[in-house]
Amino acid sequence: MNELTSRLAAEAERIEEDTEHSFKGHYNAAARWARYHLLIGLPSALLAAVAGAAAFKDQPEWAGALALLSTAMTTVLTFLKPSERAEMHKTVAGQYQALRNQARLFREIGLTDGLSAEEAKARLFELAKTRDELNQSSPAIARCDYELAKKDIDSGRARYRVDEVKS
């Protein structure tokens, strides 16, 4: 492997590492926001139903209190939009994961399959540009989502079995 190919492979590995942390962090964020949606939305709906039942049973204080609580929870749900955030993080996670896969294929196969130096550099620059665009347009992830992703990666949970054999 010549020096240029080695440098291209190293940079592709950097893209793989960056995108692996990013996609796992965004998947964690998506799961967390989906939990928030359930933890706020389900009780809110149930409280509204119980408030309606209390109103029919001539318990106006209970009906009013439960309706207010349900309204407050629905307001939080509307303001935070956890289902939208979960979907957004899931979409971005998929984009980062696809980029990681493309970088790995480039490094493992593209670089060894006789690409010219110019073609290889152009492909790497395209991968790097895609990563930079994703970094700029993606929502931020919470520190806890990043830490969980790092823990999973460091423990080997993100590794393919075929790669463990190589190590």
Side-chain angles (χ1 to χ4, degrees):
M1 186 181 282
N2 68 36
E3 184 181 349
L4 176 60
T5 303
S6 294
R7 287 183 178 193
L8 292 171
E11 189 58 33
E13 277 192 82
R14 288 182 190 98
I15 292 171
E16 288 177 63
E17 185 177 340
D18 286 349
T19 55
E20 184 170 53
H21 283 82
S22 295
F23 91 74
K24 289 202 65 66
H26 280 286
Y27 275 131
N28 291 337
R32 183 173 50 81
W33 282 106
R35 279 192 310 274
Y36 291 165
H37 180 72
L38 285 176
L39 290 172
I40 299 168
L42 187 58
S44 175
L46 292 174
L47 285 171
V50 173
F56 283 116
K57 289 188 173 192
D58 279 335
Q59 297 176 337
E61 293 82 18
W62 276 104
L66 293 172
L68 284 173
L69 189 54
S70 174
T71 300
M73 292 178 82
T74 301
T75 301
V76 168
L77 200 62
T78 302
F79 179 74
L80 292 178
K81 300 178 182 176
S83 64
E84 288 179 26
R85 290 178 189 234
E87 190 57 39
M88 184 175 28
H89 281 290
K90 185 178 177 198
T91 298
V92 170
Q95 292 170 337
Y96 273 115
Q97 189 172 18
L99 179 57
R100 191 245 355 218
N101 294 342
Q102 292 167 10
R104 185 189 68 245
L105 288 170
F106 167 75
R107 181 178 53 82
E108 291 282 334
I109 298 168
L111 283 176
T112 63
D113 197 29
L115 283 177
S116 72
E118 290 307 312
E119 290 172 320
K121 286 192 297 188
R123 180 66 184 130
L124 181 68
F125 292 151
E126 182 181 308
L127 293 169
K129 180 181 177 189
T130 301
R131 178 197 50 198
D132 294 344
E133 289 169 353
L134 276 173
N135 286 343
Q136 290 177 350
S137 65
S138 297
I141 59 172
R143 185 78 178 166
C144 62
D145 298 322
Y146 172 79
E147 292 297 334
L148 181 57
K150 184 167 177 14
K151 180 181 171 188
D152 284 348
I153 291 166
D154 290 347
S155 71
R157 291 184 66 195
R159 219 173 278 133
Y160 292 108
R161 278 184 285 195
V162 69
D163 293 331
E164 290 173 6
V165 174
K166 287 181 182 180
S167 299

